[in-house]
């Protein structure tokens, strides 16, 4: 008699295995949590990996200071419900202390997250950092190993990574170095949404269609915000929109949509021929540094 598990069950089992393997080799792990769908899924998998015990590590948010307020509320509610410890690495604090500088005219703070992230890792002596990146998101992320080595400067060298034959992971590192671990590497956007539907995972309200004041920029509908300077021709209007990703308000665009349930979003994703970052992230289109360069410097 043969036994076959579902595609989602296989992905779940693989991710939980990766999380447990990493924690077994780590002294001070931490899980990055943006409040987005991927990090919400990752947090659910981590909770399952150690249930009924509490999470054996803290959760860290790299806060740009330009977040959607709905996402910050979701972050705080989720952490409180889990009873987890939250570490906040603040971009605004780094700016105020002169450790990083914004570009003239403001703009996206996403690339400014590198310094606060690496500083928090060093100060807290985190040696394993869980992230929710997936290989299908972007070509630089497709190069990542599941266990991705970072040197003493927190930097990534795609040519200096370890083989992972037969799902054998090597987490060895010296003091000051750390490992980024990506348990969702083999998931797709569709897998994520199907699992969210299956498990009933809560998400920030911006993922679902809602009325909002927006303006058009570069093919995206940007949320009206004090964080974004508009040109004279960028007129504000109200539209029913949703967002496919969660990021800095100054670089995360939405699009017109009536998908207000997870099932409707799954149908919408199935019909889309544009990646979620391609459809939503202005910083990927106009960034000072390409994603691979940002990752080399220590980005997620």
């Amino acid at each position: 008699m043969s036994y076959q598990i579902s595609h989602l069950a296989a992905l779940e089992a693989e991710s939980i295995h990766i999380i447990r393997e990493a924690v077994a080799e780590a002294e001070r792990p931490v899980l990055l949590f943006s409040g987005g769908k991927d990090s919400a899924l990752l947090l659910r998998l981590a909770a399952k990996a150690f249930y009924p015990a509490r999470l054996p590590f803290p959760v860290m948010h790299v806060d740009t200071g330009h977040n959607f307020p709905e996402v910050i509320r979701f972050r705080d509610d989720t952490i409180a419900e889990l009873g987890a410890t939250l570490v906040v690495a603040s971009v605004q604090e780094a700016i105020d202390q002169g450790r990083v500088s914004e570009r003239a005219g403001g703009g996206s703070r996403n690339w400014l997250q590198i310094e606060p992230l690496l500083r928090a890792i060093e100060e807290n002596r985190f040696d394993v950092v869980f992230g929710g990146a997936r290989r299908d998101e972007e070509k630089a992320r497709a190069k990542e190993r599941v266990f991705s080595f970072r040197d003493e400067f927190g930097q990534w060298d795609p040519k200096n990574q370890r083989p992972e034959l037969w799902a054998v992971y090597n987490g060895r590192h010296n003091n000051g170095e750390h490992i980024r671990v990506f348990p969702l590497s083999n998931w797709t956007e569709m897998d994520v949404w199907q699992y969210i539907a299956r498990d009933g995972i809560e998400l920030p309200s911006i993922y679902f269609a809602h009325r909002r004041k927006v303006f058009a920029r570069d093919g995206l509908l940007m949320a009206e915000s004090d964080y974004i300077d508009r040109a004279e021709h960028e007129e504000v209007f109200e539209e029913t929109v949703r967002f496919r990703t969660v990021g800095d308000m100054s670089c995360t665009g939405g699009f017109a949509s009536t998908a207000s349930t997870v099932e409707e979003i799954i149908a919408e994703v199935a019909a889309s021929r544009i990646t979620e970052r391609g459809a939503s992230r202005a910083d990927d289109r106009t960034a000072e540094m390409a994603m691979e360069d940002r990752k080399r410097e220590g980005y997620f």
Side-chain angles (χ1 to χ4, degrees), residues 56-74:
F57 45 75
V59 174
M60 179 161 65
H61 179 216
V62 184
D63 183 356
T64 67
H66 288 179
N67 300 285
F68 287 88
E70 299 96 322
V71 175
I72 295 299
R73 287 196 296 271
F74 173 76

Side-chain angles (χ1 to χ4, degrees), residues 25 149 162 170-174 177 179:
E25 294 189 39
F149 173 75
R162 297 156 182 175
N170 183 352
R172 293 182 61 185
H173 58 279
N174 298 318
E177 301 168 344
I179 304 293

